[in-house]
Amino acid sequence: MTRTMRLLSLLVFGGALLAATGCEDTVCKEALNKAATAKAEAQKSAEALSNEVTSLKAKLAATEKNLEAAEKTADEAKEAVAKAQEKKPAKHKGKKGKRRK
């Protein structure tokens, strides 16, 4: 009878072990699927952010180009004003004496 009990207990515990392992497999597969989905979403988000950064870099380059052109124009205008002032004779005011009453 002990052999029969051993065999039965082996079958019962072995079946329980297999059933538990099967449940773990299901749980692990579900967790893996969730992680894969989260990874895909994170990759899409990172790609969108990368595209946005590239777009912003292009806008920055265009703005810097416009700024340089504006600074160049401003410098040219300052030089033109300075040259125009050099050409004009300076007006000197004569000394005015104090009037006595």
Side-chain angles (χ1 to χ4, degrees):
M1 182 109 163
T2 55
R3 285 187 173 178
T4 309
M5 289 299 279
R6 285 183 189 173
L7 184 60
L8 285 175
S9 64
L10 180 63
L11 289 174
V12 170
F13 289 125
L17 184 61
L18 286 174
T21 305
C23 291
E24 283 185 17
D25 264 354
T26 306
V27 172
C28 291
K29 285 180 183 179
E30 288 175 3
L32 181 62
N33 288 336
K34 287 180 184 178
T37 304
K39 177 187 170 191
E41 290 175 4
Q43 284 177 335
K44 287 179 185 177
S45 176
E47 186 176 328
L49 289 174
S50 176
N51 291 338
E52 185 178 349
V53 167
T54 303
S55 172
L56 290 174
K57 283 181 180 180
K59 286 181 183 179
L60 176 63
T63 303
E64 286 177 344
K65 185 178 179 181
N66 291 339
L67 178 62
E68 287 175 6
E71 287 176 345
K72 184 179 178 182
T73 305
D75 289 342
E76 289 173 355
K78 285 180 184 178
E79 289 175 7
V81 168
K83 286 181 182 179
Q85 286 180 352
E86 287 176 4
K87 290 181 181 178
K88 284 185 180 180
K91 294 182 181 179
H92 294 287
K93 293 184 180 180
K95 291 185 179 179
K96 292 186 181 179
K98 290 184 182 179
R99 292 186 183 177
R100 292 185 185 181
K101 292 187 180 180

